[in-house]
Amino acid sequence: MYDVVVIGGGPAGATAAEDLARSGHKVAMLDRAGRIKPCGGAVPPRLIKDFFIPDSQIVARITTARMISPTQRHVDIPIENGYVGMVDREHFDEFLRDRANDAGAMRLTGTFLRIERDSAGTHVLYRDKATGDTKQLTTRLIIGADGARSDVARAEVPGGDEIPYVIAYHEIIEAPAPTASYHPDRCDVIYDGAISPDFYGWVFPHGGQASVGMGTGIDGVDLKQATAALRESSGLAGCKTIRKEGAPIPLKPLPKWDNGTDVVLAGDAAGVVAPSSGEGIYYAMMGGRVAATAASACLATARPKDLQLARKLFMKEHGQVFRVLGAMQNAYYRSDERRERFVSLCHDVDVQRLTFEAYMNKKLVKARPLAHLKIGVKNLAHLTRLVSPLRT
């Protein structure tokens, strides 16, 4: 009998499993081996600090972000007083799983099949990867951390099958030497409807490699062709391709994260990817942490209602940021004219500073009310077309 079975071993599941194991709970972590999620790999300083990530996992340190408009105008934003760390998900996720295992979580490799219940308890059935046999884990609680199209969420949590998402696709390439269009210390974010009609494209350095990709929620968009066009425009068409990956990325937290009895969701399964930016690693790990907190409380009190703590704690800390980012995406991602205006706003020094202070510290900056007022006026002027999209 396990206290908790964690289904999924990405950043959310591995973090939940590690936290629970370090708290003295008997934990099993079930994960499918060999899957690498398409991801730019950016992690803020707060994640590195809060989750004790060693320097060995940081494959690049980004000091500039370049925003590129549909007309190929660009704004280079310096990242003051810090940097954006880059990780390679192939190695970072495995590091987190190993750390959970070292903390005492039982690591199992296989494919989740279903959840069954009887008088003996709650059972997780899975197909063991090594033998192909169907095996069973009996547990008191379950954390579903099995991704954006979570089988656990669809089967157990109301609304779990209705989560909005975009499809992300990227290609990992061998990084070239620095050129006019590529630099190993700079992330490029491309707001161009020819690349993505409703999201954005990216070129993110990973040390000796780079992630080049895009996302969209619109059916019929050829993700591979769009990425090929992005590589061509970025001068990366001739670089060797190492691997290609695609997966859904949710864009809105689910209204409910638990089933009221014995299941709580975490990470992409709960929808905790930031709107507008698509940032997910930090929020996945925080989602895993609050799921572990809720599970610990439920185990201590035997009150299923305590599973609601996961969503309450997360939204109390990050709900306002998600609402602001969601409003920004709705306002500026709908057309190339709006994207052009968004890049124009990025010329503003206050926009730059407040954006990256919020990104690095994971909270909205409220210390400079005059800067907020000025940004609000500029934002309104662009959205009401009182100024040219080429004006900063």
Side-chain angles (χ1 to χ4, degrees):
M1 170 70 77
Y2 288 95
D3 293 322
V4 183
V5 170
V6 180
I7 301 172
T15 299
E18 181 189 358
D19 282 5
L20 287 163
R22 292 194 187 281
S23 297
H25 296 294
K26 187 177 180 181
V27 183
M29 178 179 63
L30 174 66
D31 185 62
R32 295 184 298 167
R35 179 181 179 274
I36 306 170
K37 182 181 176 182
C39 177
V43 295
R46 182 172 172 181
L47 180 150
I48 296 169
K49 177 182 177 182
D50 287 357
F51 295 97
F52 305 102
I53 304 303
D55 285 346
S56 60
Q57 289 298 316
I58 307 301
V59 297
R61 288 169 169 79
I62 302 303
T63 56
T64 303
R66 172 170 287 184
M67 308 299 180
I68 302 174
S69 80
T71 60
Q72 300 306 301
R73 289 189 309 136
H74 68 260
V75 181
D76 286 353
I77 303 176
I79 301 170
E80 299 178 350
N81 304 315
Y83 64 90
V84 176
M86 304 301 294
V87 298
D88 186 330
R89 292 292 297 271
E90 180 180 10
H91 305 294
F92 182 69
D93 289 17
E94 186 66 12
F95 161 77
L96 295 176
R97 289 189 284 267
D98 283 343
R99 193 164 71 173
N101 184 73
D102 292 343
M106 175 66 71
R107 183 176 174 181
L108 302 166
T109 303
T111 302
F112 167 73
L113 297 175
R114 61 188 178 276
I115 297 170
E116 294 182 351
R117 298 173 179 85
D118 57 27
S119 59
T122 300
H123 313 290
V124 173
L125 278 70
Y126 71 99
R127 182 177 296 108
D128 183 80
K129 182 174 182 180
T131 66
D133 295 337
T134 297
K135 296 187 177 181
Q136 175 178 290
L137 305 169
T138 302
T139 184
R140 296 173 65 187
L141 296 176
I142 295 167
I143 293 178
D146 53 333
R149 290 174 173 166
S150 166
D151 290 329
V152 176
R154 288 202 300 266
E156 296 289 333
V157 177
D161 58 345
E162 300 173 359
I163 189 167
Y165 60 85
V166 299
I167 298 295
Y169 173 81
H170 78 162
E171 297 177 0
I172 298 294
I173 63 172
E174 285 189 356
T179 67
S181 58
Y182 176 85
H183 195 281
D185 297 334
R186 188 188 73 223
C187 281
D188 292 356
V189 185
I190 299 91
Y191 297 100
D192 184 350
I195 300 299
S196 172
D198 59 328
F199 205 55
Y200 63 81
W202 67 82
V203 178
F204 285 1
H206 287 179
Q209 302 176 356
S211 165
V212 184
M214 51 79 68
T216 181
I218 297 177
D219 291 338
V221 174
D222 189 328
L223 284 78
K224 293 183 178 180
Q225 181 57 46
T227 301
L230 176 55
R231 287 182 62 170
E232 181 72 32
S233 65
S234 302
L236 302 171
C239 296
K240 180 182 176 181
T241 302
I242 297 171
R243 64 178 190 266
K244 303 177 181 181
E245 298 151 353
I249 296 178
L251 291 179
K252 186 176 182 181
L254 288 171
K256 187 173 178 61
W257 292 8
D258 68 281
N259 69 347
T261 53
D262 56 5
V263 174
V264 64
L265 304 176
D268 282 10
V272 292
V273 173
S276 179
S277 69
E279 181 192 358
I281 300 176
Y282 172 78
Y283 293 114
M285 295 179 75
M286 283 305 303
R289 176 147 290 173
V290 295
T293 298
S296 290
C298 184
L299 290 168
T301 64
R303 295 184 307 193
K305 187 176 181 180
D306 285 341
L307 295 177
Q308 296 176 14
L309 280 172
R311 192 179 191 282
K312 289 178 179 179
L313 291 171
F314 185 93
M315 297 307 290
K316 180 179 180 181
E317 179 74 12
H318 303 293
Q320 186 178 7
V321 171
F322 273 51
R323 286 189 290 273
V324 169
L325 291 175
M328 188 179 81
Q329 180 172 337
N330 290 335
Y332 285 109
Y333 285 22
R334 61 177 61 183
S335 70
D336 273 354
E337 187 222 7
R338 291 289 184 96
R339 283 184 274 269
E340 198 74 45
R341 292 178 181 278
F342 174 69
V343 173
S344 291
L345 275 176
C346 291
H347 280 279
D348 189 286
V349 173
D350 286 316
V351 169
Q352 296 175 11
R353 289 176 176 169
L354 292 176
T355 296
F356 276 97
E357 285 178 25
Y359 171 79
M360 290 190 291
N361 299 305
K362 288 295 167 257
K363 57 180 66 176
L364 296 177
V365 180
K366 301 179 180 178
R368 297 198 294 274
L370 289 179
H372 282 281
L373 178 61
K374 185 179 78 170
I375 292 168
V377 170
K378 284 192 172 185
N379 189 56
L380 183 62
H382 276 287
L383 291 177
T384 57
R385 296 185 172 88
L386 293 177
V387 297
S388 165
L390 302 181
R391 181 176 174 180
T392 60

